[in-house]
């Protein structure tokens, strides 16, 4: 779509395509070079989006999209940063809608092949938003999920410091976030800004593209002052780049303080409307009404029409010297935020229009932009000649920013089995802490790579013993003021050698850090084994940023515990229902819900073995606080048989009981194995033998089924062992979660039927017998379901 006004103002002459002049020695003026580069960056970004929508065949007929206006507001900021101040050690998270600007910059630096400029949002081409794993050019952080890309450099800074403490290095560099002001509405942003871990991160720098527009509208009121106060209250350095040189020159005139007050106090929508006015309209609207009206009118009375239009649009985010000056004033002892005032669509015909978010320039407007930026419409993808002032500058910057690839480091081999056989009554949650402690003795080189993360729930998720052993991490030594208190069971001596990171109560922060800790193998060649622990009901809150972290290449283990209505006394708000199916459906992740302590150990070790490497993946462990009699597991004593059980557990399940003549098999997940065995005993006593199958990973069972059907690569042998075709059986499935998680197993019944038992409504407080009976997952309901299937006619 396109928008027009009765008197569309011509974009500022800052985008005239004049050649860069050099002195007698062939040396160019750096500001002029940067302005020329900015023009070319703007052109390339705009042309890429235009070609994606108009130049490439569109077989589906769907809108391709792109964000010419959002890219335009960032062109100056990114030009000043990359071509003026960035170093090889710096990392930058680019706001999603400015991805064409990033690709344009990488192209001019020689890091992106020209052929990709015509493949924005094309399959196998440039992604819609920056992607570390899918884009062909350098991308430091994947963005696109609102708020997550903005905060990622905070967690990247923490991960970098943690690695430095492990390797004895002190790498330099800043962690930049280029953020749209509308993105600051996202709650995840403030969770990260306010976390105590953030206040000391002097390498973190946010640059806010303050264009005062969101997708649908101009942001109401004047929010910038409040935002500055919020960052200041959080301990950040706050810098503002508000006025460009032309506008500042008017403010510096006699009486200009009245103009400054007028601009500072007018609402955002009113200012945005000025951006769409010609000089005559500006002279009428800008003075406004009030005591300063005459003074403002006097300041602009003798200003040339063209100069007046240019000045009103000349905000600091488009003034390259002002931006460079702000970068030079960054205080590296604390986080910094730079508010750079910009015009959305700067330099384009759609500049400042409240609905320009998805606007495309018309062909005529695009041709005019080419002329004003010095581009050649007949050769739209031309780079600067290598011997030009711009070409030489690009070459020098590319050399300055070239990074030495990290030397790959192979993580230590993770043992498959620690050799213990738990007995008595234990929960899978208890097995988590015990396994981590056992690792410190059995495989210390593996344990040394483990870093645990929790949002203030370490002790309540059985990490207390591990925490006392490994200690909490801090980049500086901090005193433990309760070290001499005999009643203090949890030791909190923070030091750089610690291996547990505790954040505030914010699951989004937890998984954000988890993703960055899980990416250190590819960023710096130092693989870690990050394990995050969160109450399972809050997995849903953490899921989107954790999923995005996996998309960006982060490999980690997320433990959800305690889980299900088994957390009875805590009530319905703390009882997870949908999480088992989340584990079934999440890409880049293997999900387990072990029934016994040894299975939890095996699953954890399997997850560790897939971390910190090319082709690795993440793991979701759903654990329970319910103690289960470990003798029910019938762990084989013979070594080969034990190994067979381990392989089955990791493949998705195993047969716990196989009974001659059984027409029904009970398939149980997690702590529900107790009810399954009880029901099987009662059925057998009544003359109805049944088998018992333990499903440890519906995720891997589903993958095996798809492999058998030829829908994806993989092995399907586990299905033959659990559900042999020569012995078809009806199935009763039961889990402490939504029953549809195991419903796909109906494909293995040979048409004999299936009953899926589980939790389908909110829970409530109560003891387990009442809750299990209320939700239909107790032994009584399993027996009834099995009898219903047994009594069906042949």
């Amino acid at each position: 779509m396109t928008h027009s006004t009765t008197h569309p103002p011509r974009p500022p002459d800052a985008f005239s395509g004049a050649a860069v002049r050099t002195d007698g020695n062939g040396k160019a003026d750096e500001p002029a070079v940067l302005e020329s580069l900015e023009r070319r960056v703007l052109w390339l970004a705009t042309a890429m989006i235009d070609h994606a929508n108009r130049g490439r065949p569109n077989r589906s007929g769907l809108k391709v999209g792109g964000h010419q206006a959002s890219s335009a507001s960032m062109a100056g900021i990114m030009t000043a940063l990359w071509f003026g101040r960035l170093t090889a050690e710096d990392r930058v998270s680019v706001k999603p809608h400015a991805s064409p600007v990033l690709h344009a910059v990488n192209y001019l630096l020689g890091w992106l092949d020209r052929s990709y400029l015509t493949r924005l949002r094309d399959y196998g081409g440039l992604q819609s938003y920056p992607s570390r794993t899918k884009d062909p050019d350098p991308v430091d952080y994947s963005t696109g999920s609102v708020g997550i890309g903005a905060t990622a450099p905070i967690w990247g800074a923490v991960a970098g410091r943690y690695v430095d403490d492990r390797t004895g290095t002190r790498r330099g560099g800043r962690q930049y976030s280029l953020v749209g002001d509308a993105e600051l509405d996202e709650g995840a942003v403030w969770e990260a800004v306010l976390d105590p871990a953030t206040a000391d991160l002097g390498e973190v720098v946010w640059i806010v593209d303050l264009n005062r527009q969101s997708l649908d509208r101009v942001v109401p009121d004047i929010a910038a002052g409040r935002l500055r106060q919020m960052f200041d209250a959080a301990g950040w350095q706050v810098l503002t780049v508000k006025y460009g040189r032309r506008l500042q020159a008017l403010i510096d005139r006699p009486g200009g303080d009245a103009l400054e007050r007028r601009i500072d106090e007018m609402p955002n929508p009113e200012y945005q409307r000025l951006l769409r006015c010609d000089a005559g309209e500006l002279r009428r609207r800008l003075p406004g009404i009030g005591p300063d009206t005459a003074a403002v009118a006097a300041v602009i009375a003798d200003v040339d029409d063209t100069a007046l239009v240019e000045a009103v649009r000349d905000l600091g985010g488009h003034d390259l010297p002002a931006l460079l000056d702000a970068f030079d004033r960054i205080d590296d002892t604390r986080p910094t935020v730079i508010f750079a005032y910009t015009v959305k669509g700067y330099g384009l015909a759609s500049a400042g229009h409240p609905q320009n978010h998805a606007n495309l320039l018309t062909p005529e407007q695009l041709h005019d932009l080419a002329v004003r930026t010095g581009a050649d419409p007949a050769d739209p993808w031309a780079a600067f000649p290598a011997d030009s002032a711009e070409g030489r500058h690009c070459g020098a910057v590319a050399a300055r920013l070239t990074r030495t690839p990290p030397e790959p480091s192979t993580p230590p081999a993770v043992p498959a089995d620690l050799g213990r056989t738990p007995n008595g009554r234990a929960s899978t949650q208890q097995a988590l802490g015990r396994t981590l402690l056992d690792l410190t003795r059995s495989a210390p080189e593996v344990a040394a790579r483990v870093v645990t993360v929790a949002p203030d729930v370490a002790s309540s998720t059985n990490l207390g013993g591990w925490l006392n052993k490994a200690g909490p991490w801090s980049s500086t030594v901090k005193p433990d003021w309760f070290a001499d208190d005999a009643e203090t069971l949890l030791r909190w001596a923070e030091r750089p050698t610690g291996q547990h990171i505790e954040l505030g109560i914010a699951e989004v922060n937890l998984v954000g850090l988890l993703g960055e800790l899980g990416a250190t193998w590819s960023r710096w060649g130092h693989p870690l084994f990050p394990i995050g622990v969160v109450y399972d009901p809050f997995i849903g809150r953490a899921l989107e940023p954790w999923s995005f972290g996996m998309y960006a290449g982060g490999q980690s283990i997320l433990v959800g515990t305690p889980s299900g209505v088994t957390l009875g006394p805590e009530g319905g708000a703390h009882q997870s229902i949908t999480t088992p199916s989340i584990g079934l459906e999440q890409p880049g992740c293997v999900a387990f819900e072990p029934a016994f302590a040894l299975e939890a150990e095996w699953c954890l070790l399997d997850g560790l073995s897939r971390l910190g490497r090319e082709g690795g993946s993440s793991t979701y462990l759903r654990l329970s606080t319910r103690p289960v009699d470990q003798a029910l597991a019938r762990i084989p004593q013979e070594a080969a048989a034990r190994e067979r059980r381990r392989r089955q557990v990791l493949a998705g399940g195993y047969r716990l009981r196989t009974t001659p003549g059984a027409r029904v098999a009970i398939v149980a997940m997690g702590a529900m194995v107790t009810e399954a065995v009880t029901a099987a005993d009662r059925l057998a006593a009544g003359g109805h033998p049944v088998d018992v199958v333990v499903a440890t990973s519906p995720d891997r069972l589903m993958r095996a089924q798809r492999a058998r059907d030829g829908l994806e690569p993989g092995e399907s042998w586990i299905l033959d062992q659990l559900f042999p075709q020569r012995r078809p059986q009806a199935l009763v499935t039961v889990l402490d979660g939504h029953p549809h998680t195991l419903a796909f197993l109906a494909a293995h019944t040979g048409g004999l039927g299936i009953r899926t038992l589980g939790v389908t409504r909110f829970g409530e407080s109560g003891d387990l017998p009442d809750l299990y009976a209320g939700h239909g997952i107790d032994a009584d309901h399993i027996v009834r379901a099995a009898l219903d299937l047994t009594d069906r006619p042949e």
Side-chain angles (χ1 to χ4, degrees):
M1 66 178 178
T2 58
H3 300 289
S4 62
T5 60
T6 305
H7 304 288
R10 182 179 180 82
D13 284 344
F15 286 96
S16 61
V20 175
R21 297 180 179 178
T22 58
D23 60 19
N25 297 319
K27 185 177 181 180
D29 178 54
E30 183 180 19
V33 171
L34 292 181
E35 288 177 1
S36 180
L37 289 169
E38 179 190 12
R39 291 192 291 270
R40 186 59 56 89
V41 166
L42 174 67
W43 163 256
L44 289 171
T46 307
M48 268 189 271
I49 298 168
D50 180 81
H51 186 275
N53 287 273
R54 295 197 179 104
R56 198 166 62 228
N58 187 337
R59 293 175 296 174
S60 66
L62 299 175
K63 184 186 86 169
V64 176
H67 303 88
Q68 289 178 334
S70 295
S71 293
S73 69
M74 287 294 298
I77 293 172
M78 294 178 67
T79 298
L81 184 59
W82 260 265
F83 294 100
R85 293 296 183 266
L86 210 62
T87 72
E89 292 77 23
D90 297 331
R91 299 292 186 272
V92 188
S93 175
V94 177
K95 79 170 191 175
H97 293 163
S99 66
V101 181
L102 176 61
H103 299 309
V105 168
N106 284 338
Y107 170 64
L108 292 177
L109 292 175
W111 296 340
L112 180 67
D113 188 80
R114 174 179 174 138
S115 64
Y116 280 102
L117 299 181
T118 59
R119 300 191 62 196
L120 178 68
R121 299 193 172 202
D122 186 27
Y123 187 73
L126 300 176
Q127 298 302 298
S128 55
Y129 309 128
S131 172
R132 282 192 75 221
T133 57
K134 296 183 180 296
D135 274 322
D137 53 335
V139 174
D140 292 330
Y141 289 99
S142 297
T143 61
S145 191
V146 176
I148 295 173
T151 59
I154 289 178
W155 314 123
V158 174
R161 290 191 179 198
Y162 186 89
V163 168
D164 285 350
D165 286 337
R166 292 295 171 283
T167 59
T169 59
R170 273 292 174 262
R171 67 175 58 81
R174 291 171 176 161
Q175 297 276 352
Y176 289 94
S177 283
L178 307 184
V179 187
D181 55 344
E183 193 168 13
L184 296 182
D185 290 343
E186 175 57 53
V189 166
W190 298 104
E191 289 181 359
V193 168
L194 296 175
D195 194 282
T198 303
D200 295 329
L201 300 177
E203 61 267 52
V204 170
V205 179
W206 284 18
I207 304 173
V208 179
D209 173 17
L210 197 68
N211 60 41
R212 297 170 302 281
Q213 286 186 234
S214 58
L215 190 151
D216 293 325
R217 61 175 182 166
V218 177
V219 177
D221 302 321
I222 306 172
R226 183 174 70 253
L227 292 173
R228 287 194 291 268
Q229 291 173 355
M230 292 167 71
F231 277 99
D232 181 68
W236 291 48
Q237 177 193 24
V238 180
L239 301 175
T240 300
V241 187
K242 187 166 187 178
Y243 303 120
R245 285 162 290 175
R246 296 173 180 83
L247 185 52
Q248 187 64 52
L250 291 185
I251 292 173
D252 290 341
R253 286 181 158 209
D257 55 336
L259 175 62
E260 184 175 18
R261 280 195 302 273
R262 167 73 173 130
I263 293 175
D264 285 349
E265 294 174 2
M266 72 172 59
N268 288 337
E270 183 181 5
Y271 187 82
Q272 292 295 108
R273 184 63 185 89
L274 296 181
L275 301 176
R276 306 293 297 172
C277 293
D278 60 19
E281 269 304 279
L282 280 176
R283 295 185 194 281
R284 184 178 68 83
R285 289 174 178 262
L286 187 54
I289 57 175
D292 286 333
T293 299
V296 174
V299 170
I300 65 175
D302 62 346
V303 179
D304 173 79
D305 283 355
T306 300
L308 180 60
V309 172
E310 292 175 5
V312 169
R313 294 174 172 221
D314 187 34
L315 298 180
H318 307 298
D319 189 305
L320 300 180
L323 288 167
L324 295 174
D325 176 67
F327 299 157
D328 291 339
R329 289 188 287 127
I330 292 172
D331 175 7
D332 288 318
T333 66
R334 56 178 173 153
T336 295
V337 60
I338 300 173
F339 288 98
Y341 283 72
T342 63
V343 175
K344 191 168 182 175
Y346 185 75
L348 307 182
S350 60
H353 195 286
Q355 280 88 53
N356 66 6
H357 187 78
N359 173 269
L360 285 176
L361 299 184
T362 66
E364 295 76 17
Q365 291 168 339
L366 189 71
H367 184 273
D368 179 62
L369 179 66
V371 172
R372 290 187 294 104
T373 57
D376 182 359
D379 186 14
W381 315 119
F384 291 106
D387 60 351
S388 67
E390 298 91 339
R392 289 194 296 272
H393 191 85
C394 287
V397 171
R400 184 183 81 228
L401 298 182
T402 297
R403 299 169 182 163
T404 302
E407 293 198 13
S409 175
T410 302
V414 178
D417 189 334
L418 299 183
R420 294 178 68 256
T421 303
N423 53 35
R425 295 178 62 80
S427 71
T428 51
Q429 177 178 286
Q430 290 171 325
L432 169 68
R434 184 179 297 117
T435 300
L436 291 177
L437 286 175
D438 285 347
L439 270 177
T440 63
R441 295 183 287 267
S442 302
E445 71 284 0
V446 173
R449 298 278 176 164
V450 171
V451 51
T452 55
V453 186
D456 198 36
V457 294
S459 57
S460 59
T461 53
N462 279 87
L463 288 185
W466 159 260
L467 203 157
N468 283 340
K469 176 74 173 180
W473 173 82
S474 171
S475 58
T476 58
V477 176
K478 297 180 180 180
D480 179 5
W481 297 107
F482 288 86
D484 59 348
D485 188 335
E487 295 182 2
T488 300
L489 300 180
L490 196 64
R491 298 302 173 186
W492 207 263
E494 298 176 82
R495 56 192 186 276
T497 56
Q499 292 179 250
H500 176 78
I501 302 176
E502 191 103 344
L503 300 178
I505 304 177
E507 286 76 16
V508 173
N509 288 350
L510 170 99
V511 296
L513 177 55
L514 206 60
E516 290 307 316
L517 290 168
T520 59
W521 67 274
S522 58
R523 286 198 192 281
W524 300 302
H526 187 82
L528 296 173
F529 295 158
I531 302 172
V533 178
V534 63
Y535 286 175
D536 197 65
F538 306 139
I539 287 287
R541 187 184 301 173
L543 179 62
E544 190 234 353
W546 188 49
S547 175
F548 202 81
M550 286 184 274
Y551 168 78
Q555 300 167 6
S556 61
I557 297 174
L558 184 59
V559 180
T561 184
S563 64
V565 298
T566 299
L567 192 58
E570 294 287 343
H574 279 63
Q575 296 170 6
S576 52
I577 297 173
T578 62
T579 48
S581 57
I582 287 174
L584 182 69
E585 297 155 4
Q586 176 60 47
C589 170
V590 178
F592 293 106
E593 183 168 349
F596 298 101
L598 184 56
E599 295 170 16
E601 174 193 303
W602 288 337
C603 294
L604 180 62
L605 295 176
D606 175 76
L608 292 173
S609 72
R610 288 181 279 104
L611 298 179
R613 66 198 69 223
E614 191 72 39
S617 61
S618 296
T619 298
Y620 164 45
L621 286 178
R622 188 175 191 251
L623 305 182
S624 174
T625 52
R626 185 187 180 192
V628 173
D629 182 2
Q630 300 301 299
L632 295 177
R634 298 182 177 180
I635 302 297
Q637 299 299 308
E638 201 276 327
R642 179 184 173 107
E643 172 61 14
R644 177 176 181 268
R645 170 70 67 86
R646 188 191 69 85
R647 292 183 66 245
Q648 290 175 326
V649 165
L650 299 182
Y654 60 93
R655 283 187 157 264
L656 183 62
R657 292 188 182 183
T658 300
T659 308
R663 295 174 55 195
V664 175
I666 302 170
V667 182
M669 273 179 61
M672 299 311 301
V673 68
T674 298
E675 277 58 44
V677 169
T678 299
D681 289 342
R682 287 170 53 183
L683 286 163
H688 300 282
V690 296
D691 293 347
V692 177
V693 175
V694 177
T696 53
S697 176
D699 177 17
R700 282 192 159 162
L701 293 179
M702 172 62 85
R703 296 184 198 196
Q705 182 169 307
R706 289 178 58 80
R708 173 183 281 180
D709 295 339
L711 298 176
E712 63 179 60
E715 298 179 333
S716 61
W717 59 268
I718 189 62
L719 299 178
D720 297 326
Q721 296 192 6
L722 298 186
F723 313 109
Q725 295 181 4
R726 69 182 182 279
R727 192 169 180 260
Q729 292 176 305
L731 298 180
V732 176
T733 65
V734 58
L735 70 153
D736 189 355
H738 201 283
H740 95 275
T741 306
L742 293 173
F744 70 93
L745 295 179
H748 304 282
T749 65
L752 296 179
I754 188 170
R755 294 290 186 273
T756 57
L757 308 183
V759 181
T760 59
R761 65 184 188 277
F762 290 117
E764 58 184 291
S765 296
D767 61 16
L768 291 190
D770 287 340
L771 285 169
Y772 284 4
H775 289 284
I777 56 176
D778 61 346
D780 283 352
H781 283 83
I782 297 173
V783 169
R784 292 173 201 164
L787 291 176
D788 287 344
L789 293 169
T790 302
D791 291 344
R792 294 178 62 184
E794 295 287 346

